[in-house]
Amino acid sequence: MRTEITGYIYNKVKELMMHLGVSQKAIGQYDTLIISAIVIIVAVAAMEITYRIALFASRRIVKRKHYNFLSQMLKGKRLRKVAHLLVPITINTLLPITIAPDSIMLHYIELAASIYYIIALVMATIAILSALGDSAFNNSKFHDRPVKGFIQVGKIIVILVAAIVIISILTNKSPLYLIGGLGAFAAVLMLIAKDSIMGFVGGFLLLENDMVRLGDWIEIPGTSINGNVFDISLTIVKVRNWDNTIATIP
């Protein structure tokens, strides 16, 4: 049973195709394809309308009263990345009530929509984490804290979990099954990328134990490094030397 919106659009498309000389039989053969295209168009339109409304409302709110996090969400199309979640949600909601449940195309479109949803969820989560990191950096309470490193850890975890879920969807295997199979791969990876992994762990411990803060003065004998720390990530510490040159410490 079609919804009123998709049914109305389908009838208009059908009338247009018949007006262009397409036979009723040909239209019937591509019935599922036409409905699927209409649902996708409706989903994209719903996303765009929702994004425009949210963008307008957010700008009005920020204009009246400054909210640091909301201001950061307006940068770099982060709000649009969150709005992309509406596309696969709309598709998975409308398709089962517009296409026969035994349709092969329904299965493949739902599979693609599920993967799209995971990717959109990752993009939205990363956008929110980036906005949180930027707003925390602008906050005087967290300005000297290495927030960037923890945000990077969160992004890496989100991407790894999403990759496992997508592979499990494509292979129709449980994520726990895949995690168990990653044991041997992890052992080989540790041998190949030992130095990189040690640097990653070292950077995480540096952040966790609060060994270095933004604004600290660092001097390493025998090197040209002698200045203030202005950026800390999981792999490097950036120092602005007394002569205004930039140095990076692994």
Side-chain angles (χ1 to χ4, degrees):
M1 181 179 179
R2 299 187 181 97
T3 61
E4 293 182 3
I5 296 176
T6 55
Y8 174 79
I9 298 174
Y10 174 74
N11 290 331
K12 290 298 180 182
V13 172
K14 185 177 178 180
E15 291 176 5
L16 177 62
M17 294 180 70
M18 293 179 65
H19 180 73
L20 294 174
V22 182
S23 64
Q24 182 78 23
K25 182 179 180 181
I27 295 175
Q29 291 176 345
Y30 296 103
D31 185 84
T32 302
L33 183 62
I34 295 171
I35 295 174
S36 302
I38 292 172
V39 169
I40 293 172
I41 292 171
V42 170
V44 174
M47 181 272 292
E48 189 65 27
I49 293 171
T50 304
Y51 165 69
R52 294 294 177 181
I53 295 173
L55 183 63
F56 174 78
S58 299
R59 286 175 174 172
R60 292 292 296 271
I61 292 172
V62 171
K63 188 176 181 180
R64 292 183 178 182
K65 186 175 182 180
H66 179 71
Y67 289 100
N68 199 358
F69 172 73
L70 192 57
S71 298
Q72 298 300 329
M73 284 298 297
L74 293 174
K75 296 180 180 179
K77 296 183 179 180
R78 291 169 178 168
L79 204 59
R80 177 178 287 277
K81 293 176 181 178
V82 177
H84 269 283
L85 283 169
L86 195 60
V87 176
I89 292 175
T90 305
I91 291 174
N92 281 331
T93 302
L94 293 180
L95 276 181
I97 59 177
T98 55
I99 297 179
D102 57 345
S103 173
I104 298 177
M105 182 172 289
L106 176 63
H107 169 72
Y108 286 111
I109 294 177
E110 285 182 335
L111 182 65
S114 298
I115 295 174
Y116 182 13
Y117 176 75
I118 299 299
I119 295 174
L121 185 61
V122 171
M123 293 171 58
T125 305
I126 289 176
I128 293 173
L129 288 175
S130 297
L132 284 173
D134 291 343
S135 60
F137 182 79
N138 294 330
N139 192 325
S140 58
K141 295 180 180 180
F142 303 100
H143 183 72
D144 61 341
R145 301 287 294 178
V147 178
K148 183 178 179 180
F150 292 106
I151 295 297
Q152 288 178 332
V153 172
K155 291 179 180 179
I156 292 172
I157 293 174
V158 169
I159 293 172
L160 289 177
V161 172
I164 293 174
V165 173
I166 289 175
I167 294 173
S168 68
I169 292 174
L170 292 174
T171 59
N172 199 24
K173 299 286 185 180
S174 170
L176 297 177
Y177 176 83
L178 294 174
I179 292 173
L182 288 175
F185 175 76
V188 176
L189 182 64
M190 289 180 65
L191 292 175
I192 297 174
K194 181 179 67 174
D195 293 338
S196 300
I197 294 173
M198 289 178 64
F200 176 83
V201 175
F204 181 77
L205 292 175
L206 181 143
L207 298 175
E208 178 66 23
N209 296 320
D210 195 18
M211 298 170 65
V212 178
R213 288 192 176 192
L214 296 175
D216 287 353
W217 188 277
I218 290 181
E219 180 179 355
I220 301 179
T223 68
S224 60
I225 298 174
N226 188 353
N228 282 34
V229 175
F230 73 92
D231 188 24
I232 302 174
S233 67
L234 281 178
T235 54
I236 60 173
V237 175
K238 291 185 178 181
V239 178
R240 180 175 285 106
N241 295 317
W242 62 272
D243 57 355
N244 213 31
T245 58
I246 305 298
T248 57
I249 308 172

